[in-house]
C-alpha cells in the first residue's frame, strides 16, 4: 500500500542494462466502470496482477452519506485500491474522502469525466470541466482532510469547449488552486447532450497527441492516458509520452491481459500469470462469498472472458452463463466449466 504522493515503487528489471526504474502506482490501472468493477471483479483482477492500481465503480457522496448499504466494502487483498467519488460539494466530498481514508483506501479520485444525464443532474462528472474553480475547491477540500493522493479523472474537453487551450486552462486552474498533481485523461471529449454514455466512449474521436502535449507542457504532473487502449504493446507506446495507462473495457472483457502486466510493464523477472491457476485460486473466495449468501453469478460474470481466444473458451462462457444463476449453484459449476478448457489444453 502506498501512503503519499512521494512514494514510488522500485523494481529491478533483468534487462541487459540492469538499470533500476522507478514507477508510480499509477503506471497501470483498471478504469472505474459502473456496474462492472465491483469488489468481486477487483478481487479477481488482483489475482491476475499484483501491481495494477484498481479503481472502484464511481460512488456518489450521497450514497456514502445517506445510503443504507456499505458502498466502500472491499477485501484487503485488493490493495492498491482507489475510490472514485462522484460529487461537487466540497464539504461532502471531504467528508467521504476522510471516511475512505479511515477505511484504508490508497487514493481518492474525483470523477470529472462521466457524461450521463443522471450524473449531470447531480452536477458532477464531465460537466464539471466547465467549472474548473469548483473542481479545484473540491480537490483542495479533500486534500485538507486526507494524506493519501487525491486525483482527477477527466476528458480533453466538453461540447464546443474542446480546444487544447481549454484543457490547459482547466488543468492549470485545478493545479494552482488545489495542488493536485495526478490526472488521468480520457483522450476523447464528451458531448453533454445528444450522445449516450456508450456513444461518448466511441463516437468522439481519440486524440492521444493532445494528452502527450499536456504532459510536455506540465512535466511536473503525473499524467495517465485512458481511452481505446486494447493491448500492452499499445500501452508501451503511450508510455513513451505519458506516465501511466488506464485500461477499461478491454481489461474487463479480456482480463487475461492483466496476467501479463506485472511482467511486461513493471518487472521483467516476474512470470506471466497462469490463468487456469488464477481461476483455481479464486475458489476459496467464491466459497467464502457463497457462505455469506452471495449468488455465484454475481462473481462469475466477471470471469467469463478470462480464456478469450483459447480452445474451450466458448464452452466455458456458456456453462457459466447457463448455470451460475441457478438456485443453489456452487463451486462445482466453475470446476465443470474449467474442465472444458483444461481438457483441450
Amino acid at each position: 500500500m502506498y501512503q503519499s504522493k512521494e512514494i514510488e515503487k522500485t523494481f529491478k528489471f533483468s534487462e541487459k542494462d540492469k538499470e533500476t526504474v522507478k514507477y508510480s502506482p499509477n503506471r497501470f490501472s483498471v478504469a472505474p466502470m459502473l456496474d462492472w468493477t465491483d469488489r468481486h471483479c477487483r478481487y479477481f483482477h488482483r489475482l491476475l496482477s499484483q501491481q495494477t492500481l484498481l479503481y472502484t465503480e464511481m460512488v456518489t457522496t450521497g450514497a456514502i452519506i445517506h445510503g443504507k448499504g456499505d458502498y466502500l466494502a472491499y477485501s484487503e487483498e485488493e490493495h492498491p485500491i482507489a475510490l472514485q467519488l462522484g460529487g461537487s460539494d466540497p464539504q461532502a466530498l471531504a467528508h467521504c474522502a476522510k471516511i475512505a481514508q479511515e477505511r484504508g483506501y490508497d487514493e481518492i479520485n474525483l470523477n470529472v469525466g462521466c457524461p450521463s444525464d443522471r450524473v449531470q443532474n447531480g452536477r458532477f462528472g464531465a460537466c464539471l470541466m466547465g467549472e474548473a474553480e469548483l473542481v479545484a475547491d473540491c480537490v483542495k477540500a479533500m486534500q485538507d482532510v486526507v494524506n493519501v493522493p487525491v486525483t482527477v479523472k477527466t476528458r480533453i474537453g466538453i461540447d464546443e469547449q474542446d480546444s487544447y487551450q481549454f484543457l490547459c486552462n482547466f488543468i492549470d486552474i485545478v493545479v494552482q488552486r488545489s495542488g493536485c498533481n495526478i490526472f488521468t485523461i480520457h483522450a476523447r471529449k464528451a458531448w453533454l447532450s445528444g450522445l449516450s454514455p456508450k456513444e461518448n466512449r466511441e463516437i468522439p474521436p481519440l486524440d492521444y497527441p493532445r494528452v502527450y502535449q499536456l504532459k510536455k507542457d506540465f512535466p511536473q504532473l503525473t499524467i495517465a492516458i485512458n481511452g481505446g487502449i486494447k493491448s500492452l504493446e499499445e500501452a508501451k507506446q503511450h508510455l513513451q509520452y505519458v506516465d501511466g495507462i488506464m485500461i477499461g473495457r478491454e481489461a474487463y472483457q479480456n482480463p487475461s491481459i492483466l496476467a501479463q502486466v506485472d511482467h511486461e510493464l513493471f518487472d521483467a523477472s516476474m512470470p506471466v500469470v497462469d490463468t487456469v491457476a488464477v481461476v483455481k485460486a479464486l475458489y476459496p473466495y467464491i466459497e467464502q462469498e457463497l457462505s455469506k449468501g452471495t449468488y455465484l453469478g454475481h462473481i462469475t460474470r466477471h470471469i467469463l472472458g478470462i480464456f478469450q481466444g483459447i480452445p474451450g473458451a466458448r464452452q466455458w462462457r456458456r456453462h457459466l452463463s447457463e448455470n451460475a444463476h441457478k438456485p443453489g449453484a456452487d463451486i462445482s459449476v466453475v470446476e465443470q466449466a474449467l474442465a472444458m478448457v483444461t481438457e483441450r489444453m
Side-chain angles (χ1 to χ4, degrees):
M1 184 189 306
Y2 62 100
Q3 296 293 338
S4 72
K5 298 173 185 176
E6 291 74 31
I7 293 180
E8 294 179 321
K9 293 182 179 179
T10 301
F11 301 91
K12 290 188 176 179
F13 271 49
S14 57
E15 303 287 353
K16 58 183 179 181
D17 55 11
K18 301 291 184 181
E19 68 177 345
T20 298
V21 183
K22 291 184 178 180
Y23 296 131
S24 80
N26 300 83
R27 180 171 172 84
F28 187 88
S29 64
V30 175
M33 292 177 281
L34 208 56
D35 298 324
W36 285 12
T37 51
D38 63 17
R39 62 188 182 89
H40 305 311
C41 174
R42 298 190 305 266
Y43 189 97
F44 170 55
H45 284 175
R46 179 57 68 222
L47 292 176
L48 289 162
S49 169
Q50 293 300 301
Q51 308 301 334
T52 296
L53 177 60
L54 303 178
Y55 282 81
T56 67
E57 306 167 86
M58 180 187 68
V59 184
T60 65
T61 54
I64 294 172
I65 297 171
H66 305 294
K68 295 181 179 179
D70 183 1
Y71 292 90
L72 299 181
Y74 70 93
S75 300
E76 284 298 315
E77 291 84 354
E78 294 173 38
H79 290 294
I81 178 173
L83 169 67
Q84 186 181 67
L85 286 174
S88 59
D89 179 276
Q91 286 69 42
L93 285 164
H95 178 64
C96 292
K98 188 174 182 180
I99 294 173
Q101 178 173 269
E102 291 170 351
R103 293 287 296 270
Y105 278 89
D106 301 300
E107 175 186 311
I108 313 297
N109 178 264
L110 180 64
N111 184 319
V112 190
C114 182
S116 78
D117 292 339
R118 182 174 65 85
V119 166
Q120 289 183 60
N121 291 337
R123 199 188 174 198
F124 54 94
C127 65
L128 287 178
M129 280 203 81
E131 300 185 70
E133 291 83 2
L134 177 58
V135 172
D137 291 344
C138 290
V139 173
K140 181 67 165 58
M142 290 188 280
Q143 287 181 328
D144 285 346
V145 297
V146 301
N147 55 27
V148 296
V150 178
T151 67
V152 171
K153 184 175 188 291
T154 189
R155 296 270 185 148
I156 59 173
I158 51 173
D159 295 338
E160 301 302 334
Q161 297 175 291
D162 65 349
S163 68
Y164 180 65
Q165 189 59 53
F166 171 77
L167 176 61
C168 286
N169 289 342
F170 172 81
I171 296 294
D172 189 55
I173 290 171
V174 175
V175 170
Q176 295 301 322
R177 291 174 63 115
S178 74
C180 181
N181 62 6
I182 302 176
F183 292 82
T184 298
I185 312 294
H186 187 157
R188 286 186 175 94
K189 78 171 182 179
W191 286 102
L192 299 181
S193 60
L195 294 182
S196 69
K198 181 178 185 297
E199 291 170 330
N200 258 305
R201 292 191 298 268
E202 300 170 352
I203 293 177
L206 286 160
D207 191 347
Y208 296 137
R210 185 172 298 193
V211 185
Y212 301 162
Q213 187 64 44
L214 191 70
K215 173 61 184 178
K216 187 175 180 179
D217 291 338
F218 293 86
Q220 77 279 17
L221 302 180
T222 296
I223 301 290
I225 196 168
N226 170 235
I229 302 168
K230 296 184 179 298
S231 72
L232 295 188
E233 286 307 310
E234 291 178 41
K236 290 177 182 179
Q237 292 297 314
H238 290 301
L239 285 170
Q240 297 180 46
Y241 306 99
V242 294
D243 304 296
I245 304 297
M246 176 181 279
I247 292 185
R249 275 151 182 78
E250 186 65 24
Y252 187 88
Q253 295 167 345
N254 179 25
S256 63
I257 192 174
L258 298 179
Q260 307 171 55
V261 166
D262 294 355
H263 174 81
E264 294 290 336
L265 299 184
F266 287 92
D267 185 348
S269 69
M270 298 180 71
V272 173
V273 176
D274 180 349
T275 51
V276 171
V278 164
V279 172
K280 292 180 178 179
L282 191 62
Y283 288 175
Y285 177 82
I286 293 174
E287 292 181 319
Q288 180 183 34
E289 286 297 317
L290 292 177
S291 71
K292 297 176 181 177
T294 302
Y295 290 107
L296 180 63
H298 291 174
I299 302 173
T300 57
R301 71 189 183 98
H302 301 301
I303 67 177
L304 293 176
I306 185 62
F307 298 119
Q308 185 172 302
I310 294 176
R314 182 177 301 177
Q315 291 84 350
W316 155 268
R317 292 193 300 270
R318 180 185 298 123
H319 190 79
L320 290 180
S321 299
E322 292 177 353
N323 296 284
H325 292 280
K326 291 180 178 179
D330 59 20
I331 195 68
S332 65
V333 172
V334 185
E335 292 174 327
Q336 292 160 7
L338 185 61
M340 297 175 182
V341 177
T342 56
E343 68 186 12
R344 300 185 65 175
M345 287 183 168

